[in-house]
Amino acid sequence: MIRRLFMVLCGSGVVALAACDWMPGRPERPTVDAHAPTMAFEPLWNTHCAGCHGANGRDGAARPLNDPLYLSLADDHWLHMITTHGVDGTLMPAMGTAAGGPLTPAQITVLIEGMHDHWGGAALQTAPPLLGELGAADAGATVFASHCAACHGDDGTGGHGAGSVVDTSFLALTSDQALRIAVICGRIDLGMPPFDGRRGLPPLTDQQVSDVVAWLAAHRVAHPGAPYPAVTSQGAQP
Amino acid sequence: MIRATTRSVYDWFEARLGLEKTLGPSLTHAVPQSAKWWYVFGSMTMLLFMVQVMTGICLSMVYVPSADEAYASLEYLTYDQQMGWFLRSLHVWGSHLMIAMMSIHMLQVFLFGAYKFPRELTWIVGVLLFVCTLGMGFTGQVLRWDQDAYWGMGVGMAMAGRVPVIGPEIVHLVLGGPIIGGESLSRFFALHVFIIPGTLIALLGVHLLLVVKCGINERPTPGVLVDKATYRETYDREVHRRGMPFFPNAAGRDMIACGLTLTVLFVCAMMFGPAGPNGRPDPMLIDTAPRPDFWFQSIFAVLALLPPYMETFLILGFPLLAGAVLILLPFLSGDGEKHWKRRPMAVLFVSVLLVSLGSLTWLAYQSPWSPVMDAWSALPTPAQYVKGRSPLALQGAIVVQNKQCRNCHALDGQGGRRGPALDGVASRLNSDQIIRQVIQGGGNMPAYGQHLTPAETTAVTAFLMTLHDQWEHEPATGRRTPRD
């Protein structure tokens, strides 16, 4: 009796399995061509941008792009251009196919739109424009003393809580435009506040920003980054 | 009535074939009483070979062995054909299990001293069967005709091409030309479907004949030595006195083991599915990471790791040496002690072999020698290495990403492992040493002096000098103390 029951159960099991169309090992046909370019924001960001700008657009080595102020001030056409061609003299590489990079123009558009969708915010009227010319270095020294010296030290070589912004190697790797953006937007992920008139800090005008950037840029030297500043090609300085 | 009819039909055939007279004695020949569960691996391997033949025949009805259509026919089998994926799955898992069972069978035979007198030829034919089975594995992988297949064939042929004098001719013969082309697949198809299986079946026949003729090895007893002068006589006497018929006693155990094997095979095929196909075999697709099947992973690791001066020896000399040792083994130690407890060298050899193969296979899956090509743009600098850094050090962190240092050097466990991890590098090197290493390279690291500006070198050094170990040695006392 038990044997017969066992046989019936086994038989039913086999029939049930035979009718079963689902099994864990059954492969699914890939719906997307593995070599077709990705057109979704997150995989594009995580593959091409996260390395420098951070996993969620913050806490990376380079400027956070998960910054509503920055995104509200930055022009999409300008973002497209620097993403495609990179920024000469800095570490921002050319990512567009037009300049030998991996991203098609359509993918770069997806990235820019995705940044706005995920991290964007309303435009802020009190902030100075993101793009601008250099101002007067002398006037910039005054602005630096009043707005920046508290953290970066009186001469900019570092002070309480922030490092040197006049280091010649740092300046050599940073464009004037990047300095301007840093002054306006700060680095909100690392504690440097934006000077956009919020948070109780004295706001900076367009001219003041141009001036302080000019003061910083005035610290650039012809041959930055000598590992032993005290040694010249003629030998050790006295 | 039915029984009588069946009996008369059977008798009609038996009168003409005489199977009872020819096969009967083989089925009921006496085997040692001690031949128990350790002796089922050979039967399991043979069962898996039969499964391979049957599933292979079914696959060949759909598979098109032409370079243009092979991949499409595999996709059809995998995604469209009713239960085609399961057939492919059975075939690939059958191959994995067959090589596994054959390896276990060989190790058991080796450790039980079953290769000794008078079963030398059984062992030698077994070794040839093993080589044929590996050949089936390799050619089967090529028939999958995907990225793994294409590059696997390339590596195999590059190895064959190293053979002195006739190397290029071998490559030409196997590939049907100097490079992988349309004819190559046809040749591998012929090898996989006709030549190697034919050889395998012939060798298997000889192997089974020898098993019956020379008898199944008795379970060894420590201290009982093989003496060529008296062994046969003693064996026959013992088997005659205390043996049991192969069928049904030993055969029953074989059948239970075979049932288990089939169950494991079906479960693996059902749960884990078929292998690949992993991308069209197009050499222009550079975004690919081809890998061999499980059994060749250890060779994959050896080929990646061996220093250049050992290449020719290891690629050509080692297989010859290993083959010669295996073939000569029964002649080198054809008599004497059989039990593994009295053969320390045999146990040591098996242990070293298993540990080596296991380690190499594990390394192959890790493949730390391969740079992680998208690490520079996809793996962020760990947030704890960004916080509290100076503007210059942050630029240095960008240099580490931008110059693709992360592809070979990990930070916080993420990144390539070709070079040492950079966490704690400031506790190992001072700034001058870091600058020298970056500019001049050293070890496996290329020199970056030509690729970095002085400002970039200064920045990267500033960043790396912030990466201290959590614990550091005190030079004076040698004690490890927490930093800060």
Side-chain angles (χ1 to χ4, degrees):
Chain A
M1 180 59 197
I2 292 174
R3 180 183 281 190
R4 191 165 294 174
L5 187 68
F6 180 73
M7 298 289 276
V8 169
L9 277 176
C10 285
S12 328
V14 169
V15 171
L17 267 181
C20 181
D21 196 36
W22 177 87
M23 284 189 209
R26 182 174 182 172
E28 292 292 325
R29 183 187 285 278
T31 47
V32 182
D33 179 1
H35 295 282
T38 311
M39 293 304 286
F41 170 70
E42 280 176 10
L44 281 173
W45 176 271
N46 289 335
T47 310
H48 299 289
C49 315
C52 292
H53 293 287
N56 192 31
R58 286 192 181 193
D59 297 324
R63 150 143 300 286
L65 301 184
N66 178 355
D67 179 350
L69 174 64
Y70 174 77
L71 289 174
S72 70
L73 295 175
D75 174 58
D76 283 357
H77 178 72
W78 177 75
L79 283 174
H80 206 289
M81 190 194 69
I82 59 170
T83 309
T84 304
H85 297 284
V87 181
D88 276 349
T90 75
L91 292 160
M92 171 70 200
M95 298 300 284
T97 47
L103 298 173
T104 63
Q107 286 178 310
I108 294 175
T109 304
V110 167
L111 273 169
I112 293 169
E113 287 172 356
M115 287 194 291
H116 283 298
D117 291 345
H118 287 77
W119 307 321
L124 195 74
Q125 300 301 324
T126 55
L130 202 65
L131 307 183
E133 299 296 319
L134 285 183
D138 292 344
T142 314
V143 178
F144 188 87
S146 61
H147 288 75
C148 318
C151 291
H152 289 288
D154 293 336
D155 55 357
T157 54
H160 300 293
S164 171
V165 283
V166 292
D167 182 279
T168 54
S169 294
F170 163 69
L171 289 170
L173 298 170
T174 314
S175 66
D176 292 344
Q177 181 57 52
L179 290 173
R180 183 179 174 89
I181 295 170
V183 171
I184 296 171
C185 300
R187 277 223 45 177
I188 50 174
D189 52 345
L190 298 182
M192 175 171 170
F195 285 90
D196 57 358
R198 296 180 294 175
R199 306 189 188 202
L201 291 165
L204 286 172
T205 63
D206 182 13
Q207 187 58 48
Q208 284 176 308
V209 174
S210 298
D211 291 346
V212 79
V213 171
W215 182 79
L216 290 168
H219 289 81
R220 297 185 193 280
V221 295
H223 302 291
Y228 304 102
V231 180
T232 65
S233 55
Q234 280 76 42
Q237 284 182 347
Chain B
M1 174 63 189
I2 296 173
R3 189 168 287 183
T5 315
T6 316
R7 183 77 213 173
S8 66
V9 171
Y10 175 80
D11 287 344
W12 189 87
F13 278 101
E14 179 57 28
R16 281 148 187 86
L17 293 169
L19 289 176
E20 277 180 23
K21 275 186 190 158
T22 47
L23 289 184
S26 303
L27 280 175
T28 54
H29 76 283
V31 297
Q33 188 88 38
S34 56
K36 294 196 170 156
W37 290 104
W38 281 107
Y39 288 69
V40 297
F41 301 118
S43 307
M44 290 159 94
T45 311
M46 197 169 79
L47 169 87
L48 287 162
F49 177 61
M50 290 185 216
V51 171
Q52 291 303 90
V53 171
M54 284 188 284
T55 51
I57 288 172
C58 295
L59 286 172
S60 72
M61 293 179 187
V62 179
Y63 181 77
V64 185
S66 98
D68 289 343
E69 295 172 63
Y71 192 81
S73 69
L74 277 167
E75 283 194 315
Y76 174 77
L77 260 168
T78 310
Y79 304 119
D80 300 325
Q81 171 89 39
Q82 176 78 19
M83 295 300 272
W85 71 272
F86 193 63
L87 200 60
R88 287 198 60 228
S89 196
L90 280 177
H91 200 65
V92 75
W93 283 100
S95 82
H96 290 340
L97 288 176
M98 185 176 165
I99 298 178
M101 283 307 154
M102 192 175 253
S103 307
I104 294 172
H105 180 49
M106 270 184 93
L107 287 176
Q108 180 265 324
V109 164
F110 178 68
L111 286 175
F112 278 44
Y115 62 87
K116 293 182 185 237
F117 179 86
R119 303 182 183 84
E120 300 95 331
L121 192 56
T122 323
W123 167 264
I124 292 169
V125 174
V127 169
L128 296 178
L129 280 169
F130 185 67
V131 173
C132 284
T133 306
L134 289 182
M136 288 297 283
F138 181 72
T139 51
Q141 183 188 303
V142 169
L143 292 197
R144 211 182 299 140
W145 207 234
D146 56 4
Q147 287 281 327
D148 295 349
Y150 183 89
W151 294 109
M153 182 155 52
V155 171
M157 288 305 103
M159 289 163 76
R162 283 175 182 257
V163 176
V165 187
I166 55 166
E169 271 65 38
I170 295 176
V171 174
H172 202 286
L173 177 72
V174 177
L175 293 185
I179 55 162
I180 300 171
E183 270 187 58
S184 312
L185 182 60
S186 305
R187 304 236 164 159
F188 272 86
F189 185 75
L191 277 171
H192 187 75
V193 174
F194 300 114
I195 300 168
I196 304 180
T199 314
L200 235 160
I201 290 168
L203 288 171
L204 184 60
V206 178
H207 195 69
L208 291 177
L209 181 72
L210 285 165
V211 168
V212 173
K213 292 285 176 202
C214 299
I216 290 174
N217 186 36
E218 76 285 358
R219 191 158 180 179
T221 312
V224 176
L225 306 185
V226 175
D227 181 354
K228 288 182 181 174
T230 60
Y231 179 81
R232 271 185 190 276
E233 191 188 333
T234 317
Y235 178 84
D236 288 343
R237 192 175 61 238
E238 281 297 306
V239 166
H240 189 255
R241 204 172 64 189
R242 288 195 288 190
M244 54 182 181
F246 172 74
F247 189 88
N249 300 43
R253 266 190 288 272
D254 281 348
M255 284 180 203
I256 293 172
C258 287
L260 277 174
T261 311
L262 277 182
T263 310
V264 170
L265 172 64
F266 272 70
V267 168
C268 284
M270 207 164 72
M271 299 300 288
F272 305 115
N278 301 320
R280 292 183 173 278
D282 183 348
M284 287 190 295
L285 297 176
I286 55 167
D287 185 17
T288 182
R291 287 183 161 278
D293 279 352
F294 180 80
W295 297 104
F296 298 109
Q297 291 277 352
S298 50
I299 298 175
F300 177 61
V302 167
L303 293 178
L305 290 174
L306 58 85
Y309 67 90
M310 289 175 77
E311 278 175 2
T312 301
F313 166 71
L314 270 176
I315 289 173
L316 298 180
F318 186 76
L320 280 179
L321 191 68
V325 167
L326 284 173
I327 299 278
L328 292 177
L329 179 69
F331 305 108
L332 297 174
S333 73
D335 52 10
E337 186 63 62
K338 271 186 175 181
H339 199 278
W340 60 270
K341 280 187 182 168
R342 300 279 177 93
R343 290 164 57 217
M345 285 307 288
V347 176
L348 184 69
F349 172 77
V350 170
S351 310
V352 169
L353 182 77
L354 291 181
V355 169
S356 311
L357 288 179
S359 314
L360 286 169
T361 305
W362 179 79
L363 266 173
Y365 278 107
Q366 305 287 317
S367 44
W369 50 83
S370 293
V372 180
M373 295 309 283
D374 64 349
W376 71 280
S377 64
L379 296 177
T381 311
Q384 70 269 27
Y385 295 157
V386 173
K387 304 272 185 202
R389 264 54 178 186
S390 69
L392 178 65
L394 287 177
Q395 289 298 316
I398 307 175
V399 173
V400 168
Q401 301 289 138
N402 181 293
K403 299 298 176 185
Q404 311 198 355
C405 310
R406 286 293 291 284
N407 292 13
C408 291
H409 295 282
L411 281 175
D412 199 25
Q414 291 204 303
R417 280 181 290 165
R418 201 177 159 82
L422 295 177
D423 314 84
V425 66
S427 300
R428 304 195 297 272
L429 305 175
N430 63 29
S431 61
D432 287 350
Q433 289 170 319
I434 289 177
I435 292 171
R436 193 213 62 75
Q437 182 66 26
V438 169
I439 291 178
Q440 296 183 347
N444 267 331
M445 179 170 161
Y448 276 82
Q450 297 288 327
H451 303 284
L452 292 173
T453 64
E456 286 168 341
T457 308
T458 309
V460 80
T461 308
F463 172 64
L464 294 178
M465 285 307 291
T466 67
L467 303 180
H468 284 277
D469 258 343
Q470 189 186 353
W471 296 74
E472 285 196 334
H473 279 285
E474 274 184 46
T477 62
R479 282 184 309 175
R480 281 169 73 80
T481 53
R483 190 177 164 78
D484 303 327

